[in-house]
Amino acid sequence: MSTPRTSKAGFGWLLKMAWRDGRASWGRILLFMASTILGIAAVVSIQSFSDTLKDNIALQSKELMGADFTIDTDKKPNERVTFLMDSLGGYDAREVSFASMASFSNTDQTRLVRVRGIEGNFPFYGSLETEPATAAANYQSNGGALVDATLMMQFGISPGDTINLGEISLPVLGALEKAPGSTSMFGAIAPPVIIPHQFIGPSQLVQLGSRVDYNFYFEDTTTNLELLDQKVDPILDDENADMDTHTSTSSRLGRRYENFGKFLNLVAFIALLLGCVGIASSIHIYIKEKLPSAALLKCLGASRKQTFMIYLLQIAFMGLLGGILGVVIGLLLQQLFPYFLEDLLPVSLSLSISVPAVVSGLLLGVLMSVLFALYPLLSTLGVSPLATLRKQDTQNALPKKWGWGVFALILLSIFLISLWLLDNAKYAIWFVVGIAITFAILSGVAHLFMQGIKKFFPKHWNFEARQSLLNLFRPQNQTLILILAIGVGSFLISTLYFTKDMLLQEATLADQQDNPNIVLLDVQSDQREGVAQTIEGNEMNVISDIPIVTMRVASIKGRSVNDLRRDTTSTINRWVLSHEFRTTYRDHMVKSETLLEGEFIDSASRQGVIPISVSENFARDTQTNVGDTVAFNIQGVVMTTEVKSIRTVDWSRMEPNFNIVFPAGILENAPQFRVFTTKAGSETVSAQFQQQLVKLYPNISVLDLRQLLSILQDLLAKISWIINFIASFSIFTGIIVLFGAIRSTKFQRTKESVLLRTLGAKGKQITKIVALEYLYLGALGSLIGILLSLIGCWLLAWFAFETTFTPSWFPFLVLFPAITLLTLFIGWSNSRGVIKSPPLQVLRRGS
Amino acid sequence: MAYILKVDNLTKSYSSGNRSLTVLNDVSFVIPEGSSFSIVGPSGSGKTTLLGLCAGLDTTDSGSITLCGTELKTLSEDQRAVLRNQKVGFVFQDFQLLPTLTAIENVVVPLELQGVKNADATGRELLEKVGLGERMHHYPNQLSGGEQQRVALARAFSNKPQILFADEPTGNLDEATGEKVTELLFNLNKEAGTTLVIVTHDMELARMTDHMIRLKGGKLIENKAAL
Ligand SMILES: Nc1ncnc2c1ncn2[C@@H]1O[C@H](COP(=O)(O)OP(=O)(O)OP(=O)(O)O)[C@@H](O)[C@H]1O
Ligand SMILES: [Mg+2]
């Protein structure tokens, strides 16, 4: 007789068997799947949203810029720039913008604003959105101002009131809701005020030291902008000017939002991974129960591959279903985003469905479930048909190398997915390493905890408490994965809170003791006396009065800046070549500085080399060391200096800090202005002082730390909403994993409770045991997560900011009990069926 | 005489930990085609192990087994599976139905594995024959032990096997139900000419077969035609 041919049952039969076999456990399978739905929904919603945002930004690039291209410079354009612009057909509109203090007729409050003096019919695309709408069209002819809508609301300003800017007073014509070139992020610090260009001169606000931007707008739909950019930009670079096209600007903006989207996507991906770990552990139990069936199928003549395929198909189908549901929920969630993020978005959105996001959601569903179920699935390959004859342990160990193989495959896939999400191999590797470490630490700590409980078992506790503790160790327990899921969720949310604490603390710290909380910028030398008097007149002290000289780098180690610019092999950081440095001179180092190398020279004379001190950043970016020469162009005068010392600077202080410090004796007669710092004891004093100052010296800009603090808080609140939102996905995923875990071990739990009842336990006692078990789980998981996050943030604060921070109580007082109780409630409510089920049913199922 | 199963000098040992335990020691016998055959012996004597080896569920240490004309050693695991599917039937002490499949679905699995379309008619017929025509769409846990074993019998015969292995088919059943199952077994044996190999403790059942062998401590100690 010939060797038997392979069995003829085809793919259709495999599908049928997968369906038949899954049918009875459909509810359970759905539950496994649910643990990935939220993760997929999170990924899809963010992916789709950021795709839409990117498309919208690209589509509205002209509206965002208001022109086809711009040329901007921070000096009045010189002849070469003017000539170049003329050769391009001349600008169609221009703008001068700078920061200034504004006061209003209806209120005593003053505010730092960004004045934008516009001439011409700008914007050419899109529009200035104002209330009333006519204001945008009339402000040029009527000679009035358009004031940021939020500012008007805050100060109770209405059209018809007067705004004072330096030496001029203009009627407020309308509230500015949206304008090309004004982003809401910066708008919060210095809200925009648009006025006709002709008032800039009379305001007398453009003085020495004022940071002024000159923008020239061009309307040109025929020229190839990319080519033009390539041709013109190098010429402009030499003149410290810059050309931007609407496409380059919008893609830069798009990238910025994309980066934020990528970050969120990672957080969402963590939620998905958690769900996957949940799947792995539920499937492990599921497949274990299926092994006798797999053995029997083999006994009846199914091949190894056929048996494997039946269960693989079930899992893949489950993943697909999860993917579909996740995609649907994700697309629905997406609708919420614009509503919550309105203030942070640069464009108005027309939401659409992003096809790549949908496809990736489905793929992720199938891929991740199959991948994480693979290890348990493989045991169906290994199970022997002999298991039908003898109840041996069907859990015959898989070869170790399979386990490692699957593990490697999972790591690889996580890497590839994060590579796809991040578009950067280095970050992707870091992400995978970070995830692996976090999961390892969390599960390691959870494991240690469990070992500790086992070792120091509280024998004196009462029966219920001990029994519930023992339940954490029951066979097929999912204690570890539950602690992991709850832990990661709590970790994410509390990290968010602690980071916020850290950032705000940095800022608040500055408000304590003798640290300044008000900075006065652009004080002219001849205003020095008067400003000091005004400060003292308000019973405050001048904390510092620092001279500032602006300069640009002319050459580094003998090579001129233009030479370096053209040298494509030069690794010198390009920003230093065109940056206008604000530099000071003094004969000592200050609190925020420490000497790193060389010697700080306190004074010098113009004869011989001028010894300067540079910051670590400057030294790194210019690739200079102690002893190297750097020449500076100071208002047309070139001075050659030698780096004598390198300092580390704590930039996080609310104090003027400097990259370059000259010794005393060199710059005293150079054109300069000053920065004052002072401290106002209360908000009223601060307001009163600012008001006085603005009246006397309208050119001076005031930075109010308290105000900045509240702006920062505001911004964080807006961003943290979305991060909270995504982090809560991992908590919910944890809850679903919890559901799944309870279902997976339901039979066993039922048997236990029936046994206990048979032995005479009261229903109440059983309920108590169950409730306590979940109480332990929830408390343990969230506590570990919060503590790890606290330690992590503490270390970060210690090493990165060299401070400690006081953590807020929210994670401990709200998050910890909330998650614990939630776990308790879900566990308990889900187990009621178990507690109440009649013993007979259990006996029958046991056969 | 034509034989369907031939066992030559079969030896099998299991190693648990570092100790090796010889479960079957140099066993040889032949089973003629169409006959009924019983294996008896005390618990732990190696009966189940022998049955499993004969059906190709496990591999031998030494010696050879020829089933339906094929030397099992020459086949891969999947090839043995196909051989079982086409020529072998099984009945187990604990029924072994797939818990997620209904009675009729359980019965037709071997046919479906062969790629037979519309196997349901055959399944229905077989279930009616074992007296379960009314219970076709019930799940195993809705059936009594005896009913489950009859479903298992119907399944065992669904692929018209040349040889049927039964490991204590009546072990979990009461006397009356056991008798009914035995009767079905022998009827099917006679009608279809299927060779019957039964492992049993029940001497009465053993005496009903044409041949009987007795194992003790892994050795064949008796090989005779029944009275
Ligand atoms: N995988 C294994 N590992 C170790 N020992 C085994 C294994 N399988 C079987 N044995 C041993 O082989 C011997 C024979 O087992 P087998 O199940 O064949 O006996 P049996 O005759 O069927 O007994 P019973 O009548 O109780 O079913 C027993 O002692 C058993 O412990
Ligand atoms: Mg046995």
Side-chain angles (χ1 to χ4, degrees), chain A residues 601 603-611 639-641 663-666:
Chain A
I601 309 288
S603 66
S605 70
R606 297 213 41 181
Q607 277 77 43
V609 269
I610 301 166
M639 274 188 196
T640 305
T641 66
I666 308 285

Side-chain angles (χ1 to χ4, degrees), chain B residues 107-203:
Chain B
V107 170
V108 298
V109 165
L111 290 176
E112 287 181 330
L113 268 171
Q114 286 177 5
V116 174
K117 299 259 153 50
N118 302 324
D120 277 12
T122 321
R124 196 171 303 127
E125 207 174 293
L126 283 164
L127 275 175
E128 268 157 15
K129 204 178 262 177
V130 297
L132 287 174
E134 306 291 298
R135 313 294 298 271
M136 267 187 295
H137 299 294
H138 285 202
Y139 286 95
N141 69 352
Q142 297 167 321
L143 300 172
S144 78
E147 287 161 348
Q148 288 186 45
Q149 191 60 306
R150 281 187 276 158
V151 174
L153 272 176
R155 180 181 64 191
F157 283 97
S158 68
N159 59 341
K160 301 210 170 65
Q162 297 181 8
I163 183 166
L164 187 137
F165 293 101
D167 191 1
E168 307 196 19
T170 56
N172 272 336
L173 304 173
D174 67 39
E175 215 171 309
T177 322
E179 264 166 31
K180 206 184 273 169
V181 167
T182 311
E183 192 189 315
L184 277 167
L185 265 177
F186 281 93
N187 274 351
L188 289 161
N189 164 245
K190 277 180 198 116
E191 282 168 24
T194 304
T195 311
L196 207 55
V197 183
I198 305 176
V199 166
T200 184
H201 281 295
D202 183 354
M203 282 317 290

Side-chain angles (χ1 to χ4, degrees), chain A residues 137 165 314 326 329 412 461 491 541 598 649 699 720 746 756 840:
Chain A
L165 296 164
Q314 273 183 12
I329 295 176
L412 182 72
W461 282 12
F491 178 81
N541 293 318
V649 178
N699 65 300
S720 68
K746 188 167 187 170
L756 281 173
L840 188 65

Side-chain angles (χ1 to χ4, degrees), chain B residues 30-132:
Chain B
V30 195
I31 299 180
E33 212 174 320
S35 66
S36 58
F37 197 93
S38 58
I39 304 171
V40 296
S43 183
S45 56
K47 307 183 294 289
T48 299
T49 309
L50 178 61
L51 195 74
L53 287 170
C54 291
L57 299 180
D58 204 354
T59 51
T60 58
D61 289 349
S62 70
S64 74
I65 299 168
T66 311
L67 179 66
C68 303
T70 313
E71 158 98 66
L72 289 182
K73 238 186 269 177
T74 63
L75 300 183
S76 72
E77 192 184 324
D78 282 345
Q79 285 171 326
R80 280 181 307 201
V82 175
L83 177 67
R84 276 198 296 278
N85 180 237
Q86 289 168 350
K87 313 245 157 110
V88 179
F90 275 102
V91 178
F92 306 91
Q93 179 173 7
D94 52 0
F95 326 135
Q96 294 280 2
L97 298 176
L98 290 163
T100 51
L101 268 55
T102 60
I104 184 151
E105 286 168 353
N106 260 293
V107 170
V108 298
V109 165
L111 290 176
E112 287 181 330
L113 268 171
Q114 286 177 5
V116 174
K117 299 259 153 50
N118 302 324
D120 277 12
T122 321
R124 196 171 303 127
E125 207 174 293
L126 283 164
L127 275 175
E128 268 157 15
K129 204 178 262 177
V130 297
L132 287 174

